[in-house]
Amino acid sequence: MTSTSASTPTSTPSSPSTPSTAELVAFANQLADEARKVILPFWRKPIDVESKVENDRPVAESPVTIADRMAEESMRHLIEKHHPTHGIYGEEFGSVRTTARYVWVLDPIDGTKSFITGKPLFGTLIALLEDGIPIIGIIDQCVLKERWVGVVGEGTTLNGVKVTTASGNGGEEGNERGIRSGGGICRKELKESMMYATTPHMFHPGEEEEKFRRMCQAVKRPLYGADCYAYALVASGFGADLVVEADLGLYDYCALVPVVEGAGGVMTDWCGRRLCLENHER
């Protein structure tokens, strides 16, 4: 997946039986607050770690902790209490009502390897899909107290302050200096760009691995190990220009889409298709 520049569609208007966008954003923030309360007491404390093994993935083993499970349980409880008709797709406890108009996609700790080794680059990912399309996304880093909120048609904020992929280039003034391309801003050539991936081992041998090798040769510098935090850096214009990854679950990327796109970026699959529930298994 790559992050560059583009625009996004607006969400449908609310009706008396449909929560407004503002209400849904407030509830998404409530979920993030709840996850923070659960996760922080476990931060840099001794914790049991279990392994999940999926042999068909390039990196077969992934860790899971009680913090992951308790945080997801707490968020699911709030959804069932306040929005019982909404669907849920969670990393730890599976899915319910996924054909509902609204579906919450939860990854309580994206970057558990960072979490269990004391590196504050993990994040809680919360997305809301409307008819299968991500419309609200949150990346919450509870240790650093940083929260990115992306809302389709409304933009992306970091702790309540609007950010864009051009923010580090002077914000709105930087936009005027940028090169406009496809409705967005192209700040630099690929050879001058900083590229992130969680790990070079996440690409399947063959085509994926070869394409990633070529990307590494094309950019100024490949960087590793930030998980969801890399997408937040791109959205904020702090100096990271793109993220290229593979083998991601629905819960790994749905929250990232509104954050990146709301900041003026583009996020697609390797064929250039938009990331949504319909295209997930293609």
Side-chain angles (χ1 to χ4, degrees):
M1 297 171 195
T2 59
S3 299
T4 50
S5 302
S7 59
T8 54
T10 58
S11 55
T12 55
S14 62
S15 67
S17 59
T18 303
S20 67
T21 298
E23 290 169 334
L24 291 169
V25 171
F27 183 68
N29 276 291
Q30 185 181 351
L31 295 178
D33 290 341
E34 186 67 19
R36 276 192 185 192
K37 289 192 296 184
V38 173
I39 293 167
L40 280 172
F42 294 100
W43 172 241
R44 290 182 177 171
K45 302 286 175 59
I47 190 170
D48 290 333
V49 180
E50 299 177 23
S51 291
K52 296 185 293 185
V53 179
E54 299 170 89
N55 290 318
D56 60 335
R57 304 185 69 177
V59 181
E61 187 272 341
S62 60
V64 63
T65 71
I66 189 173
D68 297 79
R69 292 181 174 136
M70 288 180 61
E72 184 172 320
E73 283 180 328
S74 295
M75 289 189 286
R76 293 176 81 108
H77 173 75
L78 284 176
I79 295 168
E80 294 289 1
K81 178 180 178 181
H82 295 285
H83 296 288
T85 63
H86 290 193
I88 305 173
Y89 190 111
E91 180 177 15
E92 307 304 333
F93 296 104
S95 58
V96 294
R97 299 184 296 274
T98 56
T99 58
R101 178 182 179 184
Y102 293 110
V103 177
W104 295 90
V105 183
L106 311 174
D107 188 349
I109 300 179
D110 179 77
T112 303
K113 292 175 184 176
S114 291
F115 177 72
I116 63 177
T117 56
K119 183 170 70 173
L121 295 184
F122 62 92
T124 297
L125 300 182
I126 298 165
L128 179 63
L129 311 185
E130 182 178 10
D131 298 324
I133 306 298
I135 61 166
I136 296 171
I138 287 182
I139 304 172
D140 188 65
Q141 212 311 307
C142 58
V143 176
L144 301 178
K145 298 181 180 179
E146 294 178 327
R147 181 176 298 173
W148 287 263
V149 180
V151 183
V152 165
E154 296 184 13
T156 295
T157 60
L158 166 57
N159 292 345
V161 178
K162 186 175 181 179
V163 294
T164 72
T165 56
S167 297
N169 199 30
E172 294 302 318
E173 181 182 346
N175 287 355
E176 293 303 316
R177 295 196 299 267
I179 301 171
R180 297 193 176 273
S181 175
I185 307 299
C186 179
R187 290 199 297 150
K188 58 183 70 171
E189 295 181 12
L190 192 59
K191 67 181 180 181
E192 295 298 323
S193 298
M194 305 289 277
M195 178 184 74
Y196 265 104
T198 295
T199 171
H201 305 300
M202 71 193 312
F203 302 91
H204 283 278
E207 182 182 6
E208 284 185 4
E209 200 171 58
E210 174 60 18
K211 285 182 176 179
F212 182 68
R213 184 189 67 80
R214 289 163 55 193
M215 283 296 298
C216 289
Q217 293 176 336
V219 299
K220 182 173 184 177
R221 190 171 293 117
L223 303 165
Y224 303 103
D227 294 286
C228 62
Y229 201 78
Y231 295 84
L233 295 177
V234 170
S236 303
F238 288 152
D241 298 294
L242 68 155
V243 184
V244 176
E245 303 204 296
D247 195 44
L248 299 183
L250 195 70
Y251 42 79
D252 291 316
Y253 65 76
C254 275
L256 309 176
V257 176
V259 172
V260 171
E261 292 186 345
V266 173
M267 194 166 166
T268 73
D269 69 11
W270 282 42
C271 296
R273 295 181 298 237
R274 72 183 308 180
L275 295 169
C276 60
L277 194 58
E278 181 183 359
N279 291 337
H280 175 64
E281 298 297 340
R282 291 187 181 181

